[in-house]
Amino acid sequence: MAEVSPDEPTDRLRACLKQYWGYDDFRPLQEQAMRCVMEDRDSVVVLPTGGGKSLCYQVPALCREGLAVVVSPLISLMKDQVDALRECGVAAACVNSSLSASERMEVASAVRRGEIRVLYVAPERIVQERTKDFLEDSNLSFIAVDEAHCISEWGHDFRPEYRELKGLRERFPDVAFHAYTATATERVRSDIAENLGLKDHELLVGSFDRSNLFYRVERRRNRLLQIQKVLDRHQGESGIIYCISRRDVDELSETLNDLGYKTLPYHAGMDAEERQKNQEAFIQDRTETIVATVAFGMGIDKPNVRYVIHAGMPKALENYQQEAGRAGRDGLEAECCLFYSGSDAQLWRRILNEESAGNIDAAMASLEALDQFCTGVSCRHRSLVTYFGQDWPDEPCNACDVCVGDLDLLDNPLETAQKIVSGVVRLDQRFGGDYVSLHLTGSRDKRILENRHDQPSTYGILQQHDRRAVRDWLEQLVSQGYLEKVGEYRVIHVTAKGRELLRGAASPRLLQSRKRKSTAEASAEVRRESWDGVDRGLFERLRELRKELADERGVPAYIVFGDATLRELARQKPTSIEEIQEVKGVGEKKLRDYGDVFTQHIQAYLKNDTDPNRTAKAGVSKNTGRKISSASRRAWQFFRDGMTLAEVAETTGRASSTVTGYLCDFLQSEARTDPLPWVDADTFERVRTKATELQTDSSKQLFEALGETVSYDEIRISLTCVANELESCSQ
Ligand code: ADP
Ligand code: ZN
């Protein structure tokens, strides 16, 4: 930006930022973006989710005369924004189809009286002639278009009504337009400018890196346990778990609740009312975790999401960036964990092929990019940022599993890689990755024996390694171009580069997952930093207070104070109005509304700081969650030891259906294709044959078809093994 002196508008913007929001500094590019608004220069502002786009137009709206109009696509989003603005003392309102006629009239007359500073309007409404006429008389200062990628067919969320916004521009040629989006691609950006008819606009593109996010990518081995670990690291905090299918959402949510976690499901198959209820419970912190399909998230601006788990792989790197990006919008550290399996990518390939609508090559390319992101061996921050076309310094980020050394490189990768590639050659390049790894690890799998694939010299050549590890290496060799997957069945072929590797002329990289402990340690490290100096007891106390106040007002807790501010309060422990107004995140209105009650609670807390009862009590309530989840982990250990269902039910004190659930998760996580000793071989064979014959996985149907001679529990267990078998054959 050109040097401007004296910096009068910036001073005004800064004062306003402090007065209403209690923030001292701009986030990157906010100042420049706000200056565009102040100076009536059209602009396109591209900032990642959580980058602080809303303030780019909200702050200048208060520093200028007249009415700022914001076009925003979602009613829920509008409502949240308006609530948040009002809590900061900003006169804001919205007009959309959820308002009654009389409510709309009220808003209109408030606008006429000049009382409203920021007005949110739905796109379909703003393009109506009536609305335009109304705006003509409303001393319009500028128009902000939120989620502006909706205007582009190349974005992931095209909305035709956005196209009509050009008419608005024609009607108000002298009013500046400002577009905001988190979608980075060049194509979308130029679409926005063109379709809005922008003139000599300023283009501001922020860094796509989200430095407060810690990325972790793991192959799915033991899904439930992997998820539980993340949840245990974030007790009492908000998070989202994304699943691919609706059924998976329901089942996982239920299992986690059985284990003592507080979760609610969300997917498009639920009835609208229940869905809405669950969403609100999440936003208002009444449930900690939401288990959802990707239907969840658009328009959810909850800033204090501390983790996002992907229980399956999304269909494109763009989607991943967006979904994971819902973590840590408040700028505090948050964790994004992706648990993937080779079969996910395959599933998506199949779906994309079947849909075969739109641009299939582009869709496949971004699926491949994600696949490589998962199996790759370079910094996750770097991979994401460079995929979106930005540069990344050649330095470790210290915020991903690769850079903190959670993943070790193998000492003798060449030798191992050669063994794998030889195996592919020996099997005549006719099989998928799963089969090749069965062969290399010396499995007695039926198919291997039937095909006499226990004969070639590469059989069992990697038998000292876990089959999953070998499977992972295979993927890593694919991602480095030594092997390739060909055709619908993803048969593994050796590339020219792979043949060089056999001659020893290559330096492949293979990862080895280190012991789990370091993962937890690394994460603890990140957490420790931003909790530095925070009195956790006080934090919990203030969090309860925040919740009470929020409930009284019927707003989400973070609207009272965000987590960052709450931590700051529990760090600085202000006990007077003078002190609390210095705290970041406490603006004038919040000072008036909450200054007294918070300082009083802090005073009371400091007086009782040594009260042992309080600490003890907190310990107990937290323990319940942990106790229950350890029950399931104990159960897994018992299964490993071969205990029967009845024994495990008795030892853990859980109902037999719950224990069956644990067992199914256990079998799935271990990819066991054989249910012995929990179901005998005969029974299993009967269930398997019937399931194949009827092409069903409905327990009820099988129960009936088998003349009610096999119990539901036995059917469930057998079906899990059948599914594992299918999964292992599917490559
Ligand atoms: P986006 O719309 O880009 O996803 P938001 O506008 O919702 O991001 O901002 C994300 C969070 O960051 C909000 O809680 C907001 O209050 C906070 N925030 C924005 N700007 C600043 C700033 N300059 N200093 C501190 N916090 C900020
Ligand atoms: Zn990294």
Side-chain angles (χ1 to χ4, degrees), residues 17 23 25-27 30 48-55 303 329-330:
L17 187 67
Y23 297 145
D25 292 305
F26 299 110
R27 291 247 179 98
Q30 274 184 333
T49 310
K53 288 184 285 297
S54 338
L55 263 63
R329 290 172 92 110
D330 53 11

Side-chain angles (χ1 to χ4, degrees), residues 18 42 55 82 97 115 119 138 196 208 222 236 246 356 410 418 459 465 473 520 525 548 562 571 652 669 673 679:
K18 178 74 185 160
D42 286 356
L55 263 63
V82 169
S97 55
E115 288 168 10
L119 181 69
S138 306
L196 282 178
F208 267 74
N222 193 321
R246 294 172 185 182
S356 72
L410 213 63
Q418 283 177 329
Y459 177 72
H465 297 287
W473 290 333
E525 185 64 32
E548 279 165 29
R571 188 181 278 130
T652 57
S669 75
T673 50
V679 176

Side-chain angles (χ1 to χ4, degrees), residues 416-445:
T416 307
Q418 283 177 329
K419 288 178 179 170
I420 294 172
V421 177
S422 313
V424 175
V425 174
R426 287 293 149 87
L427 297 181
D428 297 327
Q429 312 190 68
R430 282 175 39 224
F431 295 89
D434 278 339
Y435 191 91
V436 175
S437 34
L438 284 173
H439 166 79
L440 290 166
T441 51
S443 162
R444 306 296 296 163
D445 186 278

Side-chain angles (χ1 to χ4, degrees), residues 378-396:
S378 65
C379 169
R380 315 285 180 197
H381 282 268
R382 181 198 178 87
S383 308
L384 283 167
V385 166
T386 51
Y387 178 77
F388 291 106
Q390 294 187 336
D391 291 333
W392 181 261
D394 210 1
E395 290 162 9

Side-chain angles (χ1 to χ4, degrees), residues 438-488:
L438 284 173
H439 166 79
L440 290 166
T441 51
S443 162
R444 306 296 296 163
D445 186 278
K446 215 166 65 207
R447 284 162 306 144
I448 295 274
L449 301 181
E450 277 168 14
N451 292 333
R452 301 178 60 79
H453 280 146
D454 54 346
Q455 301 300 317
S457 59
T458 44
Y459 177 72
I461 197 172
L462 290 172
Q463 65 184 0
Q464 72 275 33
H465 297 287
D466 185 57
R467 183 166 70 83
R468 299 257 170 163
V470 176
R471 187 74 190 76
D472 282 353
W473 290 333
L474 230 139
E475 289 296 332
Q476 287 156 27
L477 292 175
V478 172
S479 81
Q480 292 165 60
Y482 297 106
L483 298 173
E484 61 184 344
K485 296 181 184 173
V486 178
E488 194 190 337

